[in-house]
Amino acid sequence: MKIWVDGDACPKGIKEILYRVSARTKIAVIFVANQYLHLPQSDYLEMVQVPDGPDIADDEIALRCAPEDLVITADIPLAARVVEKGALALDPRGTLYDSNNIGQILGMRDFMDELRGSGVETGGPSGFGAKERQKFANELDRLLAQRR
C-alpha cells in the first residue's frame, strides 16, 4: 500500500499528519504537485513534481496508483478515477470515497457545477480547522488499522 497525495491543494495540517503517519507506519507517502513541496527528510516521503497545467497532477496520480492504495484528494473526479482502479480516496476533511458512494457524490458535484454555471450562487466550502483535521486523522487511522 502507498498513500498518494494531491499535493497542490492539500492543507498544511493534513500534510503534517501524513508526515507523522509515514514515520509511524513506514508506509510510502508520495506527494504529487505542480510546484516543489519541501518535505521533511524521510525514507518514506517522496515528491513527484509534474509540469504546470490543468489536471496533470491528477493524471499522474490516476496513472500510478494501484488497487489497495489510498489517495488523499478533495478533487471528486480524481477520486472517481482512482476508486474505479480499486483504490480508495480520502478527502482532507475526512470523507472517504469508495465504490459505494462515489457515484452519488460525483453526481451531486456535477449537479452543483451546473447550478453554478447557470448563475446560481451555491456558496463555498466551510472553513478548515481543528475539527476537520481531527476527522481526517481519525478516518486515516481507521483505514490503516483495517489494512493491517
Side-chain angles (χ1 to χ4, degrees):
M1 171 190 192
K2 293 180 181 176
I3 299 174
W4 297 89
V5 182
D6 188 357
D8 288 318
C10 187
K12 181 181 178 184
I14 300 305
K15 289 176 188 170
E16 291 169 354
I17 290 168
L18 293 167
Y19 301 156
R20 291 190 300 272
V21 163
S22 71
R24 185 181 81 231
T25 63
K26 300 187 180 0
I27 293 174
V29 178
I30 302 108
F31 292 83
V32 181
N34 301 106
Q35 297 181 33
Y36 178 78
L37 302 175
H38 179 71
L39 303 177
Q41 184 64 32
S42 170
D43 291 337
Y44 304 102
L45 297 174
E46 181 182 338
M47 169 68 209
V48 175
Q49 188 172 0
V50 296
D52 281 334
D55 299 326
I56 293 176
D58 296 352
D59 292 343
E60 186 72 15
I61 292 169
L63 176 70
R64 294 179 60 177
C65 80
E68 305 299 318
D69 284 353
L70 176 63
V71 175
I72 310 301
T73 185
D75 186 297
I76 295 169
L78 173 58
R81 291 170 67 187
V82 302
V83 166
E84 188 175 302
K85 287 186 73 174
L88 293 175
L90 182 60
D91 182 277
R93 295 174 179 274
T95 301
L96 178 66
Y97 303 121
D98 61 19
S99 60
N100 296 318
N101 67 5
I102 193 62
Q104 180 181 6
I105 292 169
L106 186 58
M108 181 57 74
R109 178 241 183 229
D110 292 344
F111 173 70
M112 296 301 282
D113 197 42
E114 285 180 31
L115 286 177
R116 285 187 293 276
S118 66
V120 175
E121 290 187 32
T122 60
S126 59
F128 188 86
K131 179 179 163 186
E132 290 78 16
R133 279 192 306 276
Q134 187 62 51
K135 184 178 177 194
F136 173 85
N138 290 342
E139 187 64 22
L140 180 60
D141 283 344
R142 186 186 70 76
L143 287 169
L144 294 176
Q146 283 180 343
R147 299 279 172 122
R148 287 189 199 134

